[in-house]
Amino acid sequence: MASPGVAAVDRALTILAAFEDAPEPMALAELARRTGMYKSTLLRLMSSLQEFGYLVQLSDGRYHLGPTPFRLGAVYQRANNLHDRVMPLLRQLVADGTESPSFHVRHDARRRLCVFRVDSRHSTLDRVEAGMLLPLDRGAAGRVILAFDGEKGAACDDIRESCIALSFGERDPDCAGLACPVFGPDGKCAGALSLSGPKPRFTRESIKTMSALLLIAAIRLTRALGGPTELLEGAAASAADGRDAGSRPARRARR
């Protein structure tokens, strides 16, 4: 179906989106392959994107994102004040010895956005970075967002009851993760706090310890956002009573 927007704008945004998963600057031929556009069309559009700082051309002829996306990202962070609320909690989780913490929000019907990420102190890490778009239907953070956005199914019911989702090898066969919701002032899910890392370090005991720490962090962030904490507090109390978070098969998602 044709986009209801302006075709030239749609194409320009498609060019910028091509850089989301590009580890290095790209040549014109690679951009043409990724976007499906003719090189002549790309050159016209990229001239405007360069003029406004969205793209830069390097000395070797390749293209990369310019300073404007970074500047807009900083404006976004200042506007929603999330950075100052989330980052101290992620750093505290690392200080407490957890796996790498992240904060994710829904991006669209199929994807979530990793807004913030802090690497753990372990020498081996999973491959997640701030700014990455990841699937909603794979990974603990995505399953939490789906569950608290009303997704149906027994697995989602379990997540809504325990406030914890546990995932083994869904996106990466060598990694695991666990996540819990954060609520906004309207009582809806504002995002998901998650911990992720190599699968062997997700033992029964470490999952129990990290789940308790993650729920405490989610309570603090929910409170800072003005959201209701009763559900999270109940889940934290259950974890403190010795009921292992993530122990039900429905929450131990595998693919």
Side-chain angles (χ1 to χ4, degrees):
M1 182 165 53
S3 168
V6 179
V9 175
D10 290 345
R11 289 195 291 267
L13 293 175
T14 298
I15 294 170
L16 294 176
F19 288 88
E20 287 180 3
D21 59 351
E24 298 179 347
M26 287 187 285
L28 184 62
E30 176 63 13
L31 275 167
R33 187 188 69 79
R34 285 176 176 248
T35 62
M37 299 180 199
Y38 293 113
K39 292 180 182 179
S40 57
T41 301
L42 283 170
L43 287 171
R44 288 197 305 272
L45 292 167
M46 290 194 300
S47 177
S48 294
L49 292 171
Q50 287 177 261
E51 179 69 22
F52 286 89
Y54 285 92
L55 290 181
V56 293
Q57 187 175 20
L58 306 180
S59 58
D60 62 2
R62 294 182 300 165
Y63 295 88
H64 198 41
L65 291 178
T68 299
F70 178 82
R71 178 171 55 81
L72 292 177
V75 172
Y76 171 80
Q77 289 185 354
R78 289 197 302 271
N80 63 29
N81 204 26
L82 269 178
H83 181 274
D84 293 341
R85 293 172 175 174
V86 175
M87 288 302 290
L89 291 171
L90 301 190
R91 295 188 186 107
Q92 184 59 55
L93 285 166
V94 170
D96 290 336
T98 68
E99 296 298 325
S100 300
S102 308
F103 181 71
H104 301 249
V105 299
R106 178 188 277 269
H107 178 73
D108 56 26
R110 298 180 296 105
R111 297 174 296 176
R112 53 188 160 101
L113 171 66
C114 177
V115 185
F116 304 108
R117 155 84 174 204
V118 176
D119 287 340
S120 75
R121 294 175 175 173
H122 299 292
S123 58
T124 53
L125 305 169
D126 61 324
R127 296 185 294 273
V128 176
E129 297 178 2
M132 289 182 66
L133 288 172
L134 304 166
L136 270 175
D137 63 346
R138 281 175 285 152
R143 294 192 178 280
V144 161
I145 293 170
L146 285 175
F148 285 91
D149 277 357
E151 186 84 356
K152 299 185 183 302
C156 289
D157 290 341
D158 286 342
I159 293 169
R160 284 188 285 267
E161 179 183 344
S162 68
C163 287
I164 286 286
L166 181 58
S167 171
F168 280 91
E170 287 190 279
R171 288 195 318 104
D172 184 324
D174 298 320
C175 295
L178 58 93
C180 68
V182 172
F183 300 105
D186 57 1
K188 295 180 179 179
C189 180
L193 278 177
S194 74
L195 298 171
S196 56
K199 193 160 53 176
R201 293 205 296 261
F202 279 72
T203 63
R204 186 177 183 86
E205 191 59 35
S206 69
I207 289 169
K208 180 179 177 181
T209 299
M210 290 192 295
S211 295
L213 292 169
L214 192 65
L215 286 165
I216 291 170
I219 291 168
R220 290 173 177 167
L221 182 53
T222 294
R223 189 174 292 132
L225 296 176
T229 60
E230 292 81 5
L231 191 61
L232 291 166
E233 289 171 349
S238 295
D241 287 342
R243 281 173 276 176
D244 293 351
S247 60
R248 298 184 185 183
R251 292 200 294 274
R252 297 173 65 92
R254 295 180 178 86
R255 247 183 219 187

